[in-house]
Each structure stands twice: as structure tokens, then as C-alpha cells.
Amino acid sequence: MKQFITKISYFSIVMLICMVGMALIHIDDEFVINKTCNTSYEKLAWNLLKIKDAEQLKNADIYIGPSLIQGDVNDSMLNANGIKSVNMGINHNGFDLDHYIVKRVLENAEPGKIYLYRPRDGGSLSHPMMPMLLNPFEYYSIFGQFPLTYIQTYFPKRLYFVMQYLAGFIYTDKQDYQPSKYGFRGEENSVINSMKNDEEAIAEEIAKREDFKEVGINEDGTFYTANTRKKYVRKYLFYYRGAAEPMRTVSVQQIQSKGIPFSEIYMPTYYDAIIDEHTDNRYYFRKPLNYKYDCLTLNNYSFLNDSNLWFDHHHLNSNGSAIFTDSLLAHLK
Amino acid sequence: MLFNSFEFILFLPIVFCLYWFVFNKSLLVQNLLILAASYFFYGWWSKMFLGLLALSTLLDYSYGFWVASPNRKKAKLFLWLSIINNLGILGVFKYYNFFATEFQQAFESIGIHTNPTLLHFALPIGISFYTFHGMSYVFDIYRGNQKPISNFIDYAVFVSFFPLLVAGPIERASHLLPQVQRKRTFRYVQAIEGCRLVLWGMFKKVVIADSLAVTVDTIFGNYEEASGLTLILGAIAFSFQIYCDFSGYSDIALGTAKLFGFELLSNFKFPYFSRDIAEFWRRWHISLSSWFRDYLYIPLGGSREGKSKAVRNTFIIFLVSGFWHGASWNFIAWGFIHACGFLPLLLLNRNRKHVTHVVAEDRKLPNLKEVWQMLTTFIFVTFAWIFFRAKDMPLAVDYIKQMFVSFFNNPEQFTTLPEGYTTAVYIIPLILGDWWLRRDERKLKSFQNKYLRYVFYIILLFILIYKCMDLDKSTFIYFQF
């Protein structure tokens, strides 16, 4: 038994050293751009290309966050109205990715203001693309922690991406990527003009709109839908220890150290839109402990209370984004 | 839980350490640990069906005593009760909907309209395996080959030992129970062999089988538009996918059992090096084919009562084997095809030709005759796999039709075959590796040089990590049985 344990231990140590050594290999931007362009994480490629061009970010309002930023803040509209803006939202949540983008922007450019997305119920720790962007040493030195699922998902994924990166020197299949001018990625509803004769798509859209009708508010102020009874707290302030908040603190400190103005921004969901217009519901989200940031929220979102403005319960569609951005414009001006 | 999952990577060392370091003083406690670990392992999938496993175990344990009665009539009665019980459980969960639908269609064809109630719950994983464990125990007691054991814990470990619980090998009481009942001692060589088998099994499943699955799914999903050569490739790819998937699982099961001091029955002996169908069935899913031989073929008379009965019994075995794999006509067709392939060998008394020795046993390479024999057997088996893979009979028939029609009407297919490269990359090293190991599937040889060995294992592990992240984590094919 002793011989077996010794052998397994030695082998495990050697394997661990190899794995850690491989995980520390830096992956350059070109690989990340090539890997993510023309995929559902295309915004990451777009962001990295944008960061290389400091002039485009200079004095601009930068919006950073998940798909709610990506799909709801129409930066082309803001630019057309004289507010230089860049939408750097990337689908899926992760305060660590938010910080990565902040860090890269601040290293290369001088933005006018940075807006970071404030989630309703607490920040998500880790974005799925982070294993490609930071090695374990970098991750820990920036955030002072690892996500709970680090060993299970992040670390093997890091090895996966590094192996792809190393193999990339042998297999070069660079993709032809044509980045768009603006960062906004508005969601279309299921039925668009070219699909109006598609009965299945129409039926699917009708079913979705019916689902919107099932959203309501309980007497105690919580929301419900026909399928789930989620307890979204509407009015009350709850102070809590979000696990991801230290990551947000790191981002804010870095922004403030550069003297860049900063604010968080709350993006509405359909649950906020059904609240009546007479109610001042500025506090839509659960506040973390010792919360002291500015947060841009509108007094009320009832102007979005129309299911045809929404792609799903959380994301506005292109029409809804235009109306929301219009309100945002009024607020910013 | 899946063998190729993070949970299992945590589960195995914890159970290993508890087994050998904490609970090794008492055999009873060690077996209790194995039992608890096995139920935890099974319950990770579905707590709902833990009760069914426990019930099946308890019933067969009880039948074991009644079937041992000196009163043969009573013993026979309880034997039949056990069979009805076990097949009843299997029948309800696995075959009820099939028969209900078939009867409905049959009645519809004669103008009688029925609306049978169909059952809508998942098939309990491993049900086909643990019911057969229990049945073999009861059969062996009835025949006098096994005494009923009084220790329920020992019996429960025999039925639900976690490495083999969900996809075999189907163990025999005479082989596994004695190992459960005696103290296990840790043996270094056995444990190292176990680790090698686990690694190789994972590699076959995660790297080869799951990679080929992508090609197979694409080809079978779009077979109407594919060329004949592509469809042939799809069938070949599936042959290796199911082999690597199932033998990979068996290797992991055998390897894991070795870590706990158990030796399980071998389930695969490089079946694609078989020289005829009879040899194939002595090398493929050995535990199932030997189960049917011992508990169905021989009780029916085997080949002792003349050629016609032998033919009848052979067809019964293969049809039942097909049906065991799935409640669908295409599985029955698969069994029928194999029966047809076996029949000439049986009639010409050539079905026991290659029993004792492996192909090219004393040579490095096979001769031309052996190559021809292996090739023709492989082609036959691959043809039958089309029925196994297709989701129903019409698709299987269409696939074969398209294969022949397109092969002869599509000359440009020979110039481009994108899936061929992917398939070859996985299959050729596997064939070479299996050929090198063909003399003993239980003792994987490795490099003599220690450092070369370690480098090889590290490379395999990195490839495994890569593939685990690259592919969706698919379950093992045989879990559906």
C-alpha cells in the first residue's frame, strides 16, 4: 500500500506541476479574438479590437456588463445624439469579466465615464470566458479569491484553452471577422418580417406573448409567472454579503485611482416594467452591505410595460432598447 | 454519477481511503461501506429508484432461501416466482409501452380502437443488469451450484457493487460472492493494473467514443443527403463508437473493482479481431452472452437435442438478446441478423473453432486468411450495427438503401470524405493499440521505461482533460439498457 500511495502521490505531483505550468502560459489577444469572433461570445473579440484603438474610447461613456447591457443600451443612438458612447456589454454574467474589461480599457485609453451593470439579485462570480483571459496566478493576484467551482470548471477549461492556443501554432484557421461599428446587439423577436409566413415561428411568438400576460405582482410585492413563482423582491432594501462584491470593489478602486467618473447602472426587466407609473421604485435591486456607489436607475419603468418591447422577461428587443435608450438620453442630458 | 465526471473523481479516492484505511479492520464494516457507497453512487442519478433497487435485492435474497428448499416442487414454484418478479419489474419499466403500442396497432388493423394508458417515467438506470444479477443468483441456488447466503449485506453488495451496478459486467454469484465474503488484501500489482484500466477505459470512452459520436450523429441525422461512402463510414464509426463506449465502461468498472481488491469477469476480449460470428460472441459483452447461454440456451436444451432444436434455441437467444437491448423492432432485427450469421457455423459444426487461442497468438501479424476472416466478420457485425444505431426499423432500412443506391450512383464521393480523416485519426491508433494488447485484455501492458511510461500517462491525461472540456458530457450508450 505504501508503495502504491507513494507512486500515486509522486505521479499526482508531477501531473499537477505540468498542469499548473501549462495553465500559466499567457494566451494572446489574437487567439482570443480569433476564437470568439463569429461565435455567441463575439462581443469579447469586438471589445478587444476596440481596446486597441484608444481614440475610439477617449472621453467616451463606456457601458460594461452582461447581455442586458449588450442588448438594451443602444450606443449608436447615444452617439447620434451627441453622447460619445461605447457598449462593451458581453452576454453572460461575471464581475470578473467586467473587471477584466475595465482593466484593459484603463490600460489603453482614457474614457469619459464608466458604467458597470448592477444586477438585481447579486453579482455572478465568474464568466465562462475568463479561463481564456487570465491564468490562475493573475486571477488570484487581482481578485484575491477563486470562484467555488474553480477546480471543477475554470482550471480544466484554462488547460483546454491553452492546449488549443498551443495547437494553434500548428493549425492555423483564422476566421475572417468584420467587426461592426457599434457594440449594441439588439435582440429580435422570434417573428421578424421575413418569417411572417412561418406558422411555427408565429405560434411560438404567440405562446411567448401569452407567457408575458402571466407575469404579475403578488400583494406582498413579489413577482410571479405562470411557470415559476420567483420571489423577486421589489420594494425592500436587503443588505447582503454578495460573494462577488469584492470583485466589484477592485474594479471601482481601479477606476477611481485613474480619476475616471464612475457609476453603476441598473437595467430593467419586465418585472420592473409592470410596476405602475406612480410608484417610485428607485431601489429595484438588493443592495450589498455598505453599498455606496452611485447607481443610475430611472424612477419608473412603466413606459416599457408592453410585451412587444421585450424579447423575453429580462431582455428588451430592438424596439424596446430604442425606447429605453431614449429615456436614458433624457436622463444623461 | 458518471465515471467521467468531477463527482466521481472526488468520490473514488474518498471511498478508497475509507475502505483501506478506516474500515479495513472489519469485513462487515468494509462491506457496509461498499454498500453505502454503491447506493450513494446510484442515488446520485435518481433517489426515486433506490427503492426499486433495494426491493429487487430483498426479493431475490428471500427467493434464494425458498428456492433452496429440498422440496423440489416448492423450489420450482419459487424459482418461477422469482423469474416473474424480476421480468415483471423489467417488463413494466422497459417493455410495457412497447407492448401496449404494438397491441394497439394490432387491434387498429382489425378495426378495434383502443387507447392504452402509457407509462411516462424514465427507465431506471441499470435495471437490466441488477435484475439479471439477482436472477443468476436464484438460478444457481436452484441448480445446486450455489448455497443461499445468510448475510444480507454480502448479498446486497453482490447485487449493487457500484463499479458494475449500472452497465455490468453481469457477475455470477459463484465468482463475485466469495470475494465479497472473504477479507480483501491490498495488492500493489492489482491496484496498478486497476489504475491503468481506469485510465485506458476513460480514454476510450471520452476521447474515442465521444469524438466518433459527433460524426455518427451527423451522418445518421442527415443520411438522406449523404453519399454511400459516407454512410459506410458512419456505420464503421458507430462500430467503434459502441465498442469504445461499452468496453471503456467495462474497463473502468474492472479497474475500479481492482482498486478495492475485487476481480470482475472480463466483458470484452478485442471482439473486432474475431474470425467468425461465434468467436465474436465469445468476445463481445461476454457476461451477457454467457448469461443467456447458461440460463436460457442450456435450459432450453442447448445443442444436446438435435440440430433443429439447436437452431431454434440459437434464434431464441439472439432474439431475446436483441430485445434485452431495447424495446423496439430494430433491436430484434439486430438479434435476428446475428442469429442468421451464426446459423451456418452451427449447421456446419464450426461454431467452436476459435475457442482457445487469439488470432496470431504466436505471431506479430495475422496471415492473409486471418485478415480476410476478421474483415468479413467485421463487415457483417457493422452491417448489423446499423439496425442497432437507427432509432427504428424504417430508418435502418432507409439508411441501408441509401447506402447502396448512393454508393453506385455517386462517383465524386471517392474524392472527398471529410469525416474520413476524423474517423481514421481515432480508429487506427485504437486498432493498433488493441492489437498490441490482444493476448490479455485484463493486464494492459505499458512501456518498460518508467519515465516513458509517466510521459505517456501524462499525455493521455491531458488529452482526456481536453476532450472532457471539448465535448458535451454524454452518458454511456449501455446506460439506456
Side-chain angles (χ1 to χ4, degrees):
Chain A
M1 173 64 85
K2 195 174 165 191
Q3 189 185 5
F4 178 74
I5 298 293
T6 308
K7 204 158 217 175
I8 293 290
S9 302
Y10 279 145
F11 181 79
S12 301
I13 289 167
V14 168
M15 186 68 197
L16 193 63
I17 290 170
C18 292
M19 284 162 68
V20 170
M22 184 172 274
L24 291 177
I25 292 173
H26 174 72
I27 296 176
D28 61 32
D29 282 357
E30 198 190 337
F31 175 83
V32 178
I33 292 166
N34 194 48
K35 184 98 181 112
T36 55
C37 69
N38 301 322
T39 71
S40 56
Y41 287 118
E42 182 230 343
K43 265 313 281 297
L44 181 55
W46 188 91
N47 281 9
L48 290 175
L49 283 171
K50 211 69 167 174
I51 284 165
K52 287 179 195 294
D53 189 346
E55 268 311 304
Q56 294 204 43
L57 301 181
K58 191 172 181 178
N59 299 322
D61 289 353
I62 314 284
Y63 293 85
I64 297 172
S67 53
L68 276 78
I69 293 281
Q70 180 182 249
D72 294 5
V73 177
N74 192 325
D75 53 348
S76 67
M77 263 181 76
L78 293 171
N79 279 284
N81 281 274
I83 301 177
K84 188 177 182 188
S85 305
V86 180
N87 180 329
M88 289 191 141
I90 302 173
N91 46 316
H92 289 135
N93 281 315
F95 275 13
D96 50 5
L97 181 64
D98 290 350
H99 176 72
Y100 179 81
I101 301 297
V102 162
K103 177 168 132 14
R104 294 296 305 272
V105 165
L106 294 177
E107 277 169 2
N108 292 282
E110 293 169 14
K113 187 169 183 176
I114 292 179
Y115 290 94
L116 291 177
Y117 170 70
R118 165 49 52 183
R120 171 195 289 276
D121 287 315
S124 171
L125 262 181
S126 193
H127 191 279
M129 287 290 104
M130 282 314 292
M132 210 184 332
L133 302 172
L134 291 178
N135 70 41
F137 176 75
E138 286 169 333
Y139 197 101
Y140 192 82
S141 61
I142 294 170
F143 300 115
Q145 62 168 314
F146 288 123
L148 271 173
T149 55
Y150 195 84
I151 304 285
Q152 187 177 353
T153 49
Y154 190 109
F155 191 67
K157 241 181 163 177
R158 175 71 189 173
L159 294 175
Y160 169 73
F161 285 132
V162 169
M163 282 191 263
Q164 281 206 330
Y165 171 64
L166 293 173
F169 286 109
I170 307 168
Y171 303 106
T172 52
D173 60 342
K174 293 199 187 310
Q175 301 195 53
D176 185 29
Y177 177 47
Q178 303 296 330
S180 56
K181 190 172 179 189
Y182 296 106
F184 168 68
R185 300 283 181 275
E187 296 277 11
E188 298 294 343
N189 283 346
S190 301
V191 179
I192 54 178
N193 284 333
S194 63
M195 292 165 73
K196 271 190 178 157
N197 294 324
D198 186 332
E199 287 178 12
E200 207 177 294
I202 293 169
E204 199 182 297
E205 187 61 26
I206 291 172
K208 198 199 284 187
R209 297 298 136 204
E210 287 297 320
D211 187 47
F212 275 92
K213 287 182 194 167
E214 302 299 324
V215 175
I217 305 178
N218 294 309
E219 279 185 19
D220 63 359
T222 53
F223 297 108
Y224 65 84
T225 66
N227 294 325
T228 59
R229 297 247 155 200
K230 289 193 178 190
K231 296 266 184 187
Y232 288 121
V233 177
R234 180 168 65 90
K235 288 188 76 163
Y236 304 102
L237 303 176
F238 279 86
Y239 288 85
Y240 74 104
R241 289 182 189 282
E245 288 310 312
M247 289 186 176
R248 180 51 52 93
T249 307
V250 172
S251 303
V252 174
Q253 281 172 352
Q254 187 152 11
I255 296 168
Q256 288 172 343
S257 71
K258 294 274 185 175
I260 307 288
F262 156 75
S263 173
E264 288 196 327
I265 178 169
Y266 176 74
M267 303 305 298
T269 67
Y270 187 69
Y271 304 106
D272 302 313
I274 65 172
I275 298 167
D276 70 271
E277 63 192 39
H278 302 296
T279 306
D280 181 348
N281 278 282
R282 208 170 311 180
Y283 305 111
Y284 291 94
F285 54 91
R286 291 200 224 182
K287 282 193 179 179
L289 279 171
N290 303 316
Y291 185 74
K292 50 184 183 300
Y293 308 136
D294 286 335
C295 186
L296 197 168
T297 66
L298 304 184
N299 282 357
N300 199 275
Y301 294 99
S302 58
F303 63 94
L304 294 169
N305 187 4
D306 177 355
S307 66
N308 292 308
L309 298 177
W310 295 86
F311 174 76
D312 59 29
H313 292 169
H314 292 88
H315 300 88
L316 290 162
N317 59 28
S318 299
N319 294 339
S321 302
I323 293 173
F324 169 75
T325 308
D326 212 31
S327 298
L328 194 62
L329 257 172
H331 195 88
L332 292 172
K333 279 185 171 169
Chain B
M1 80 185 61
L2 295 173
F3 280 156
N4 53 323
S5 68
F6 185 72
E7 298 82 41
F8 186 71
I9 293 170
L10 288 181
F11 171 83
L12 186 62
I14 291 171
V15 176
F16 178 87
C17 289
L18 288 172
Y19 183 86
W20 289 114
F21 297 116
V22 178
F23 298 114
N24 57 328
K25 298 287 185 290
S26 157
L27 179 62
L28 172 65
V29 173
Q30 214 177 34
N31 284 344
L32 267 170
L33 169 71
I34 288 289
L35 187 62
S38 300
Y39 271 70
F40 179 84
F41 180 87
Y42 190 80
W44 193 266
W45 264 301
S46 169
K47 291 179 196 47
M48 191 167 65
F49 291 123
L50 276 175
L52 186 66
L53 173 62
L55 177 69
S56 174
T57 305
L58 187 61
L59 283 170
D60 284 323
Y61 172 74
S62 308
Y63 283 127
F65 292 106
W66 300 328
V67 151
S69 166
N71 182 332
R72 294 313 286 168
K73 266 192 181 160
K74 186 181 170 191
K76 196 166 188 173
L77 171 67
F78 281 109
L79 176 71
W80 275 107
L81 276 173
S82 164
I83 293 171
I84 291 165
N85 202 116
N86 281 296
L87 294 183
I89 291 173
L90 209 51
V92 164
F93 285 95
K94 198 168 170 180
Y95 299 108
Y96 171 82
N97 285 350
F98 170 78
F99 284 113
T101 317
E102 290 303 314
F103 276 120
Q104 182 191 23
Q105 285 172 5
F107 282 128
E108 293 280 338
S109 65
I110 55 172
I112 302 172
H113 298 290
T114 57
N115 192 15
T117 307
L118 297 178
L119 302 176
H120 299 288
F121 41 69
L123 179 67
I125 286 178
I127 191 171
S128 302
F129 293 92
Y130 65 72
T131 48
F132 272 35
H133 275 147
M135 281 201 283
S136 78
Y137 172 72
V138 174
F139 287 160
D140 283 349
I141 293 174
Y142 179 76
R143 286 175 177 174
N145 297 336
Q146 171 73 34
K147 284 191 169 27
I149 58 167
S150 53
N151 190 324
F152 177 72
I153 301 297
D154 288 355
Y155 176 74
V157 169
F158 159 69
V159 172
S160 55
F161 186 33
F162 72 89
L164 51 77
L165 176 56
V166 291
I170 302 171
E171 270 290 342
R172 304 298 182 86
S174 57
H175 184 257
L176 185 56
L177 264 175
Q179 297 183 68
V180 176
Q181 290 173 308
R182 66 170 175 258
K183 195 166 166 54
R184 275 82 60 184
T185 46
F186 182 86
R187 288 188 292 131
Y188 171 77
V189 170
Q190 187 184 33
I192 289 294
E193 278 168 8
C195 290
R196 282 197 197 135
L197 274 170
V198 169
L199 179 58
W200 181 233
M202 290 275 197
F203 188 85
K204 278 199 288 190
K205 159 61 185 164
V206 173
V207 177
I208 303 178
D210 287 353
S211 300
L212 289 174
V214 175
T215 304
V216 170
D217 289 347
T218 305
I219 294 174
F220 272 80
N222 301 293
Y223 71 92
E224 299 102 324
E225 291 136 25
S227 68
L229 204 58
T230 300
L231 295 176
I232 290 171
L233 193 78
I236 292 172
F238 180 69
S239 290
F240 284 97
Q241 180 202 342
I242 193 167
Y243 167 62
C244 289
D245 192 283
F246 198 14
S247 71
Y249 180 92
S250 292
D251 284 347
I252 298 169
L254 262 69
T256 305
K258 278 180 187 273
L259 288 170
F260 293 90
F262 290 93
E263 291 289 341
L264 298 182
L265 290 172
S266 205
N267 220 7
F268 290 86
K269 289 186 181 182
F270 310 107
Y272 291 148
F273 296 146
S274 302
R275 288 153 285 186
D276 54 45
I277 285 297
E279 188 182 6
F280 176 81
W281 281 104
R282 283 193 294 275
R283 294 178 172 278
W284 177 277
H285 203 178
I286 300 165
S287 63
L288 179 73
S289 52
S290 61
W291 196 100
F292 279 127
R293 179 198 63 211
D294 294 342
Y295 300 115
L296 189 57
Y297 184 73
I298 289 173
L300 285 172
S303 47
R304 296 190 308 270
E305 297 176 17
K307 263 303 183 258
S308 55
K309 282 243 168 97
V311 169
R312 179 203 70 177
N313 296 339
T314 300
F315 270 85
I316 288 173
I317 292 296
F318 278 108
L319 290 173
V320 168
S321 175
F323 201 45
W324 178 90
H325 283 87
S328 178
W329 287 109
N330 53 303
F331 289 109
I332 296 171
W334 170 79
F336 181 78
I337 291 167
H338 273 275
C340 294
F342 193 89
L343 184 60
L345 298 168
L346 183 67
L347 293 173
L348 297 171
N349 292 324
R350 295 165 79 91
N351 54 309
R352 298 195 63 75
K353 205 175 164 205
H354 308 293
V355 173
T356 52
H357 57 280
V358 74
V359 65
E361 190 167 27
D362 49 358
R363 286 172 272 121
K364 280 206 172 103
L365 294 171
N367 58 36
L368 277 173
K369 182 182 173 190
E370 285 165 339
V371 169
W372 171 253
Q373 287 171 331
M374 287 190 286
L375 206 55
T376 47
T377 307
F378 178 75
I379 289 169
F380 180 87
V381 166
T382 300
F383 174 80
W385 281 135
I386 294 172
F387 288 85
F388 198 93
R389 172 59 179 77
K391 63 176 172 58
D392 50 40
M393 275 295 285
L395 193 147
V397 171
D398 272 348
Y399 188 99
I400 292 166
K401 253 191 232 168
Q402 174 71 7
M403 195 164 73
F404 283 106
V405 165
S406 186
F407 186 84
F408 292 109
N409 293 344
N410 207 346
E412 63 270 17
Q413 69 190 309
F414 294 99
T415 54
T416 57
L417 196 62
E419 306 90 348
Y421 173 73
T422 316
T423 313
V425 158
Y426 293 108
I427 290 175
I428 291 171
L430 171 74
I431 294 172
L432 294 173
D434 271 3
W435 182 260
W436 186 43
L437 298 166
R438 72 189 184 285
R439 290 184 183 85
D440 192 342
E441 76 290 350
R442 300 167 67 83
K443 292 189 173 135
L444 295 182
K445 293 186 292 188
S446 189
F447 299 103
Q448 291 294 330
N449 182 293
K450 182 170 70 174
Y451 299 106
L452 205 57
R453 219 162 49 230
Y454 277 16
V455 166
F456 179 66
Y457 294 156
I458 288 172
I459 291 172
L460 282 189
L461 279 167
F462 271 110
I463 297 172
L464 257 172
I465 292 169
Y466 183 88
K467 278 297 177 184
C468 277
M469 293 292 116
D470 197 34
L471 301 163
D472 287 335
K473 204 177 296 179
S474 60
T475 54
F476 292 89
I477 292 174
Y478 265 69
F479 282 6
Q480 64 185 303
F481 309 129

